[in-house]
Amino acid sequence: MDTSTSTDNNKRKLTEDDHQICHPRKHLRIEIPSTIFPSTISDTLSSTTTSPSSLFSAISPPQRDLDHPSSATTCTLQTPALLIAPPISGLYFNPGLEIPADLADSVFTFCMSTYFCNPKINQIMLFTRLSSQSTTSLPPILNRLLDTLFTLLRPHIPVETHNLLFPAASTQARQVILNLYTPGEGIASHVDLLKRFGDGIIGVSLGSGCVMRFARTLAETSTPGEGPARLSIHDEPVNLSDPLSCPESDVDEGVAYNVYLPERSVLVLSSDARYKWTHGIEKRKSDFISCPDCVPDIPSAIKGRWVERGTRLSITYRWLLPGADVVGCDE
């Protein structure tokens, strides 16, 4: 018996309804490239630094999951990330202030070969004890980095802030947190735990730059909220009202800024920047940043260029508050 013939004879004939179910009408979506500027120059767009309003205005919502940021379809009206510090009290950032290249390479190599040999590990926490030589319990290379920061930061920050970061006699123990980011990874907007860490935080970016987002908190105290992974007991996520829904001129409520932190750059958070502003990193593989003096015919609101992220090592020095070495159910 011919089995193939038998199989064909046993098939039920499809009705018109069956055809409608099995073959639904397909909807075609045609993407029309923006006519604001051609795609061939999308990687060389720039932002001018001569207009204060273009530097400090509220930013547009960032694009997400851009596989091909240079394509015409991704060239939308969005403000590039700032290259200088925004007007946030207590935030100190100067892109011209860089960790020496040889020291940066040594620190990066040491951390990668010591702490991040396992690809499943992306965060390490180191602690010191409060003593007259509290920093000696850190690896020598991280103490060397701290000594370099002492010298580098002195001409660029107020004396009282420098004394806060590098007191003559320490009254608190230091904590160092190392975060390793691969391209596409980020961290939820958060305020470092108020009950565990004191004022005065130093952040160093090695290996790659990235855009960090700063948003003004709208509440006296922070409350837990949802966000990307990588939060620990040492970070406090917060729920914010939409930071882009407020007027651009209202600096005190809900304003947000995107700032590009280059490789080997240094960031200091103190006073308002430490307690009243959140910081976080979008999950993306490239960042749209300002590029002075490029493509002058493009409107200033969208001048900028795309910069690919690489593997980034973030090193953060913080002060431990009394009792911060005890972790319990109260947290």
Side-chain angles (χ1 to χ4, degrees), residues 179-288:
N179 277 296
L180 186 67
Y181 297 88
T182 57
E185 289 187 322
I187 186 170
S189 293
H190 65 281
V191 174
D192 288 26
L193 281 174
L194 304 179
K195 296 180 180 180
R196 288 191 174 272
F197 301 106
D199 196 7
I201 297 173
I202 310 174
V204 177
S205 297
L206 299 179
S208 174
C210 78
V211 167
M212 181 168 285
R213 181 178 178 84
F214 298 91
R216 183 70 159 85
T217 60
L218 302 181
E220 291 294 330
T221 58
S222 302
T223 56
E226 295 181 356
R230 194 189 286 271
L231 288 181
S232 70
I233 61 170
H234 300 281
D235 299 303
E236 185 168 352
V238 297
N239 282 327
L240 299 177
S241 297
D242 182 6
L244 301 172
S245 62
C246 300
E248 292 184 6
S249 60
D250 190 355
V251 179
D252 291 331
E253 292 188 7
V255 171
Y257 301 98
N258 279 348
V259 182
Y260 182 66
L261 307 179
E263 178 189 5
R264 298 193 285 130
S265 64
V266 181
L267 175 72
V268 172
L269 302 178
S270 62
S271 62
D272 284 2
R274 187 267 182 267
Y275 294 108
K276 298 181 180 180
W277 289 76
T278 66
H279 54 279
I281 300 172
E282 287 281 347
K283 298 172 62 176
R284 58 189 308 142
K285 294 183 179 181
S286 59
D287 294 303
F288 190 56

Side-chain angles (χ1 to χ4, degrees), residues 70-87:
S70 61
S71 66
T73 57
T74 64
C75 295
T76 59
L77 287 172
Q78 73 174 58
T79 303
L82 304 177
L83 300 180
I84 62 175

Side-chain angles (χ1 to χ4, degrees), residues 16-34:
E16 184 176 350
D17 291 337
D18 290 327
H19 282 287
Q20 292 179 355
I21 295 175
C22 297
H23 304 282
R25 183 186 299 273
K26 293 183 177 180
H27 297 275
L28 298 179
R29 180 177 181 179
I30 301 176
E31 297 287 349
I32 301 176
S34 169

Side-chain angles (χ1 to χ4, degrees), residues 54-102:
S54 66
L55 285 176
F56 301 137
S57 59
I59 52 182
S60 303
Q63 293 179 327
R64 297 176 181 270
D65 299 327
L66 298 180
D67 295 329
H68 303 286
S70 61
S71 66
T73 57
T74 64
C75 295
T76 59
L77 287 172
Q78 73 174 58
T79 303
L82 304 177
L83 300 180
I84 62 175
I88 298 176
S89 177
L91 186 152
Y92 301 99
F93 166 69
N94 183 344
L97 180 65
E98 297 180 334
I99 302 297
D102 58 342

Side-chain angles (χ1 to χ4, degrees), residues 73-149:
T73 57
T74 64
C75 295
T76 59
L77 287 172
Q78 73 174 58
T79 303
L82 304 177
L83 300 180
I84 62 175
I88 298 176
S89 177
L91 186 152
Y92 301 99
F93 166 69
N94 183 344
L97 180 65
E98 297 180 334
I99 302 297
D102 58 342
L103 176 59
D105 291 341
S106 297
V107 174
F108 188 89
T109 300
F110 169 81
C111 292
M112 292 299 294
S113 61
T114 304
Y115 301 117
F116 300 109
C117 298
N118 187 335
K120 295 182 180 180
I121 296 177
N122 62 10
Q123 186 178 84
I124 294 293
M125 298 179 189
L126 305 174
F127 301 83
T128 69
R129 293 184 180 276
L130 180 58
S131 68
S132 58
Q133 297 178 338
S134 61
T135 59
T136 57
S137 59
L138 293 176
I141 190 67
L142 294 183
N143 281 327
R144 181 183 167 195
L145 176 59
L146 193 60
D147 291 340
T148 300
L149 291 169

